[in-house]
Amino acid sequence: MKVRGMVQSSETSDLTAEADDAETARALVEEQVPEGYELLQVHNAMPRGGRVIATAKIRLAAVSEIEADGADYASARDALRAAVPDGQRLLSITIVGE
């Protein structure tokens, strides 16, 4: 049996921006997100001094396919999980024909 999986980077990067208010700080962070990346989360903090500091996590948005074979679904699935490259996460598993 053959299975196919979709994988995506699990590595993240941080961005920061500082502004007078949370809305502006978030907008400044969003402007920094490079093409091909997705914004995962934004956390706002207001340390002493009254300025808002937005810290964001981003990740490469691209996904790619990997395949694996096995005698049955369980062994094919296990082979697919073992084939996931370091720094990637398995998003889905699909059976390819039967």
Side-chain angles (χ1 to χ4, degrees):
M1 171 174 283
K2 182 177 278 205
V3 293
R4 180 177 296 138
M6 301 300 291
V7 295
Q8 180 183 41
S9 176
S10 59
E11 297 175 7
T12 61
S13 300
D14 294 327
L15 300 173
T16 59
E18 186 175 328
D20 290 328
D21 59 79
E23 185 177 322
T24 304
R26 182 182 178 98
L28 291 171
V29 163
E30 289 175 351
E31 289 175 8
Q32 294 180 57
V33 177
E35 179 129 358
Y37 281 75
E38 61 185 340
L39 183 62
L40 300 175
Q41 75 180 58
V42 178
H43 174 74
N44 291 327
M46 186 181 285
R48 290 180 210 155
R51 303 270 295 168
V52 175
I53 299 173
T55 304
K57 292 250 184 248
I58 61 171
R59 175 180 55 221
L60 192 60
V63 296
S64 57
E65 285 185 347
I66 59 173
E67 290 186 352
D69 293 305
D72 56 19
Y73 176 77
S75 62
R77 178 201 62 213
D78 293 346
L80 185 71
R81 287 179 175 161
V84 174
D86 287 342
Q88 299 277 308
R89 65 191 186 114
L90 184 60
L91 300 173
S92 65
I93 300 174
T94 305
I95 297 172
V96 180
E98 287 203 48

